[in-house]
Amino acid sequence: MKKIVFMGTPDFAVPILEGLIENYEVVLVVSQPDKKVGRKQILTPTPVKQKAMEYNIDVFQPEKIKEDYQTIIEYKPDIIVTCAYGQIIPKELLDYPEYGCINVHASLLPKLRGGAPIHKSIIDGYKKTGITIMYMDVKMDSGDIITQSTTEILDEDNLEKLHDRLSIMGKELLLETLPSIFDKTNNRIAQDINEVTYAYNIKREEEHIVFSKTRREIFNLIRGLNPFPAAFFILDDMEYKVYNSRIGNEKEYTEYGKITNIYKDGIGVSTSDGEIIITEIKPFGKKRMLVKDYLNGINKDNLVGKILK
């Protein structure tokens, strides 16, 4: 049986690892170093490491894979499979396995290369996205495409829903693709450089809602960051994270970010082309809550006319 080394870190990669374990021989799992988590800063293994430990598979966690990869070669993998590992793989490692190094990427490459393709597919208003199985190259997500599968992005989708759906799709497509890689009948399609877009990791300033944008742009931002890290606005010098919203009526406003209406389920806020109605929030230092519950505890009349920044 072919020996596989799997490299991955977050929850997204766990179903892919499970699929490999159930069907092939995974001899080593490589993951990012453990990190301190929570208020108590408890050193916590990555989700992928936790899954490997359940199956008693050896785990390797180098600080810098570019400088510390010899352990992987000692396991003599026939193929290396990566998914959301989090570090650039050195050429010496890419060139080692007989069947190459392949990556499971959560977009339809060459669209959305980078570390946040699921976030950005929603935020940037893509109508569809998917999974790409590709050969790895020294540049980020630039290798030849082997197979792809597609899913529509619906208004009901948020980051969590799309993340979970794509994770399962990644597992299924990888298991469908591996036999053709092993018998060397698979496709190998170069990416069209002219079609490349990028999905770099989300920056703090990108989480801030800019109400001068359109209703659709704000709606997409909110659901593209739900549940983590979550979009936010500032009201009365306090930060409010926003988890859900709906698109309100079209209307021209001269002032953006102004609370225009109070609804049973939310707060209407002016944008460049009408109202966005915020329906779920988390005030700083408090729990996540529906806006209708938040409104029960305050003087609603005092909100109308205030500016969200």
Side-chain angles (χ1 to χ4, degrees):
M1 184 175 284
K2 305 293 188 297
K3 292 191 291 185
I4 296 176
V5 167
F6 180 78
M7 304 177 68
T9 298
D11 286 319
F12 184 84
V14 170
I16 287 93
L17 173 58
E18 284 187 304
L20 290 173
I21 292 170
E22 292 166 0
N23 292 274
Y24 293 95
E25 182 185 4
V26 179
V27 295
L28 177 69
V29 166
V30 183
S31 197
Q32 294 275 54
D34 298 348
K35 290 186 177 181
K36 293 179 180 180
V37 175
R39 292 181 180 179
K40 296 183 178 179
Q41 290 291 283
I42 297 172
L43 193 63
T44 305
T46 70
V48 162
K49 178 181 178 179
Q50 291 180 48
K51 184 56 61 176
M53 291 167 64
E54 287 180 23
Y55 288 90
N56 296 314
I57 297 172
D58 292 347
V59 178
F60 178 49
Q61 296 175 277
E63 289 284 347
K64 295 181 180 180
I65 190 71
K66 285 186 175 181
E67 301 171 4
D68 188 9
Y69 57 83
Q70 191 59 41
T71 296
I72 299 171
I73 291 176
E74 290 172 2
Y75 279 79
K76 298 181 179 179
D78 296 300
I79 190 170
I80 294 174
V81 178
T82 73
C83 179
Y85 170 55
Q87 295 189 46
I88 300 296
I89 311 301
K91 190 175 188 301
E92 292 84 352
L93 202 53
L94 295 177
D95 291 342
Y96 178 81
E98 177 184 353
Y99 297 95
C101 294
I102 66 169
N103 179 240
V104 182
H105 184 75
S107 82
L108 298 174
L109 291 171
K111 301 294 185 185
L112 299 172
R113 292 180 180 178
I118 309 177
H119 297 77
K120 289 298 182 77
S121 67
I122 299 175
I123 293 169
D124 293 349
Y126 281 67
K127 299 297 183 184
K128 64 180 181 178
T129 187
I131 292 291
T132 300
I133 309 295
M134 54 172 283
Y135 282 106
M136 297 189 70
D137 200 347
V138 290
K139 295 182 180 180
M140 180 180 67
D141 300 327
S142 64
D144 291 348
I145 295 167
I146 304 171
T147 54
Q148 293 183 317
S149 62
T150 302
T151 185
E152 290 185 25
I153 301 176
L154 308 174
D155 277 0
E156 294 75 26
D157 284 326
N158 58 23
L159 173 64
E160 183 175 40
K161 291 179 181 178
L162 189 57
H163 169 282
D164 292 351
R165 186 159 81 245
L166 287 170
S167 182
I168 298 303
M169 287 174 59
K171 169 185 174 179
E172 293 171 348
L173 185 62
L174 177 64
L175 294 178
E176 290 173 12
T177 304
L178 279 173
S180 67
I181 293 174
F182 290 139
D183 64 24
K184 300 184 178 180
T185 61
N186 61 279
N187 291 324
R188 188 160 188 156
I189 303 166
Q191 295 187 37
D192 184 346
I193 297 175
N194 297 318
E195 295 295 320
V196 172
T197 63
Y198 291 95
Y200 296 117
N201 290 336
I202 302 294
K203 297 178 181 178
R204 168 67 175 173
E205 55 265 31
E206 294 178 272
E207 301 163 21
H208 192 180
I209 300 172
V210 178
F211 287 100
S212 60
K213 293 187 175 182
T214 66
R215 295 166 296 164
R216 169 59 65 172
E217 288 173 321
I218 296 168
F219 175 72
N220 287 345
L221 176 70
I222 290 168
R223 63 199 185 98
L225 297 179
N226 178 8
F228 183 82
F232 73 92
F233 63 79
I234 305 296
L235 173 62
D236 294 335
D237 296 324
M238 181 183 289
E239 179 180 298
Y240 290 75
K241 289 186 176 293
V242 183
Y243 294 95
N244 276 303
S245 67
R246 59 182 174 87
I247 294 175
N249 293 328
E250 182 178 1
K251 188 176 179 180
E252 287 190 15
Y253 289 102
T254 57
E255 194 171 17
Y256 309 132
K258 188 174 184 177
I259 297 177
T260 51
N261 289 291
I262 303 297
Y263 297 95
K264 288 183 178 180
D265 66 332
I267 298 169
V269 184
S270 61
T271 74
S272 66
D273 68 347
E275 269 189 343
I276 187 76
I277 299 169
I278 296 170
T279 60
E280 189 176 8
I281 59 173
K282 181 185 179 300
F284 182 79
K286 297 184 180 180
K287 294 182 178 180
R288 179 172 167 173
M289 65 181 73
L290 296 175
V291 169
K292 66 178 182 179
D293 295 328
Y294 168 76
L295 293 172
N296 287 335
I298 63 169
N299 187 335
K300 295 185 275 292
D301 295 335
N302 288 343
L303 278 179
V304 176
K306 287 194 172 185
I307 302 296
L308 309 185
K309 298 178 180 179

